[in-house]
Amino acid sequence: VVMLRNLSKESLNKQVDIQKSLLKKKLEKSGLDNISTKLNLDSNVEVQIRECIGQLNFIQTVWDTVLPRDVYCKTMGKLIHTMIKEIIAYLINTPDISSNVAQSLLIIFDMITNKVSLLLPEDVRNKMSKYVENWNKFLQLIKVFNSKSPRDIEDSWNNGRGALANEFKAQELKNLIKALIQTSERRNALLDKIN
């Protein structure tokens, strides 16, 4: 029994690694790495993210009925985490994001939150962060993109003690601010307050 359990765990881990690799490849092809040169978001970004979600939907149909519930939730959570981690990494490393691109990304973020939550059983959807390690970071990223002013971000950072500080390193947040907000005295003042 122990040997069979170890073999099945090893097999599942290999399959998870394969699926993570496929998700990363789709996101590499999306064009998220060069959105700073665009006035409008390339449609391929949405296409590739939809393909990632489609891949996760397919995995759900196969694994949801085969794996024990907790194993399924943890495994799906790891895959969702991988997708979100890659998206956040691209955005944090983008030097400039136009307002049109930011608005298009918000629509995609909304699609992700709606579709991805359906991948877990209904009774755990309100506990996404239990299974998806970076879920709260993703939600905070959305709040940054939705911010109407630098003051909104400053309040959420709250001198390094707020919700943003719980999820983002100071430099990551500074990078996002530089990408999303045009150079101004208010932006510079905000950047000075984030350490």
Side-chain angles (χ1 to χ4, degrees), residues 125-155:
R125 290 181 190 154
N126 61 346
K127 305 175 202 167
M128 288 289 287
S129 61
K130 178 180 177 182
Y131 297 102
V132 183
E133 184 182 324
N134 56 1
W135 187 249
N136 289 335
K137 186 171 188 170
F138 184 61
L139 297 178
Q140 288 301 313
L141 174 79
I142 294 169
K143 286 183 181 178
V144 170
F145 270 74
N146 269 321
S147 295
K148 301 295 180 212
S149 73
R151 180 70 187 184
D152 294 340
I153 297 171
E154 182 182 344
D155 290 346

Side-chain angles (χ1 to χ4, degrees), residues 97-114:
I97 300 173
S98 73
S99 59
N100 286 348
V101 170
Q103 291 306 308
S104 296
L105 285 170
L106 277 169
I107 292 167
I108 291 172
F109 296 162
D110 189 50
M111 175 193 65
I112 291 170
T113 55
N114 291 329

Side-chain angles (χ1 to χ4, degrees), residues 83-94:
M83 182 180 79
I84 290 173
K85 180 181 173 187
E86 293 297 312
I87 291 169
I88 291 173
Y90 281 120
L91 297 176
I92 285 173
N93 292 308
T94 299

Side-chain angles (χ1 to χ4, degrees), residues 16 26 32 34 92 99 112 146 161 171 173 183 190 195:
V16 168
K26 287 179 190 339
L32 271 172
N34 68 1
I92 285 173
S99 59
I112 291 170
N146 269 321
R161 294 185 305 268
Q171 191 57 54
L173 184 57
T183 303
L190 174 60
N195 329 352

Side-chain angles (χ1 to χ4, degrees), residues 8-24 55-56 59 63 67 71-72 74-80 82:
S8 60
K9 188 186 265 187
E10 184 181 316
S11 177
L12 178 62
N13 287 337
K14 283 181 183 176
Q15 191 55 232
V16 168
D17 289 343
I18 290 168
Q19 296 303 323
K20 284 180 179 181
S21 177
L22 291 172
L23 289 168
K24 289 177 183 180
Q55 176 184 336
L56 295 173
I59 292 167
W63 290 357
L67 296 174
V71 173
Y72 168 77
K74 287 177 182 176
T75 304
M76 183 57 76
K78 287 178 187 177
L79 295 174
I80 296 167
T82 297

Side-chain angles (χ1 to χ4, degrees), residues 144-187:
V144 170
F145 270 74
N146 269 321
S147 295
K148 301 295 180 212
S149 73
R151 180 70 187 184
D152 294 340
I153 297 171
E154 182 182 344
D155 290 346
S156 191
W157 179 257
N158 192 20
N159 295 317
R161 294 185 305 268
L164 269 174
N166 291 335
E167 303 301 331
F168 286 93
K169 296 176 185 166
Q171 191 57 54
E172 291 175 330
L173 184 57
K174 284 181 176 186
N175 289 352
L176 281 173
I177 292 167
K178 289 175 185 175
L180 291 167
I181 302 174
Q182 290 182 338
T183 303
S184 67
E185 286 181 25
R186 290 178 68 186
R187 182 185 96 163

